Amino acid sequence: MLEVKNIQAQHGLLQAVRGVSFSVRKGEVLGVIGANGAGKTTLFRAITGVHTDMTGSVTLNGQDISAVRPGKRVAAGLAMVPEGRRLFPDMSVRENLQVAGEHGRRGDWTMETVLDALPALKPIMRSLAGNLSGGQRQAVAIGRALMTNPDVVIMDEVSLGLSPIAIEGLYESLAQLKASGKTGIVVVEQDLRRALTFSDRVICLLEGAITLEGASGELTHDDITSAYFGLSAKGEERSAAHA
Ligand code: ATP
């Protein structure tokens, strides 16, 4: 469904993403892990077309969308739930969802199916987005992305700043979304245990490059910690940039 090849992205002189390639199939969950500053947000902003100082190709359902502007990528089927959620605070939850629906594609996700997948939204449909808790805002942001009927949805740091109870609720909703099998999901998660249990496959980023890729069930704790912290098998530090 989504295939990204050799993405390089810069912030001025700083090379934040170095030759990242991966793909996501329909209904598959790809977990992305990596320490703060590893380049995850820059990578996703490059894939969605928001960060333009980049090279590499982004293909969605066989269509090369590398040169397509961000709004048109949504129309092509790529949605992002940004870190920080960015809802319209003065609009109700219903209105936030409606606006997204009007700007996206037609498909299986409607107000009704989104509410079935994210039942936590039902009691807050009339509330202003600006008055919601962090967990509720995150659920609305996910619902809003689904309303555009994406083939692939990218979720950056979904559980950031949420209470443990809110995170539980959020992942219950995400499990329903995954079970629907309709949408490829890319999820950035700082909690490694959760990233491994929720996703089918995982990639780990370090200093802008992929240091590990594999099926979640097959990776060992040692594989992950060495990829995450940039340690060799002997525990020596190494730089991803030169690996
Ligand atoms: P986090 O988990 O903290 O969001 P991340 O893995 O998403 O981290 P990025 O935010 O993509 O990583 O940052 C990658 C590198 O690019 C870091 O060295 C960061 O300092 C730098 N960077 C990010 N945004 C900017 C910016 N707007 N201007 C300059 N440098 C930036």
Side-chain angles (χ1 to χ4, degrees), residues 11-12 14-17 34-43 51 83 156-157 188 190 205:
H11 293 285
L14 178 89
Q15 176 98 27
V17 179
N36 286 343
K40 305 177 296 294
T41 300
T42 307
L43 170 64
H51 184 87
E83 192 181 346
D156 198 0
E157 308 255 0
V188 178
Q190 286 291 352
L205 283 186

Side-chain angles (χ1 to χ4, degrees), residues 220-238:
T220 67
H221 186 262
D222 279 356
D223 292 337
I224 292 163
T225 41
S226 26
Y228 193 94
F229 295 109
L231 303 171
S232 71
K234 292 186 192 125
E236 293 153 353
E237 221 178 301
R238 69 181 165 85

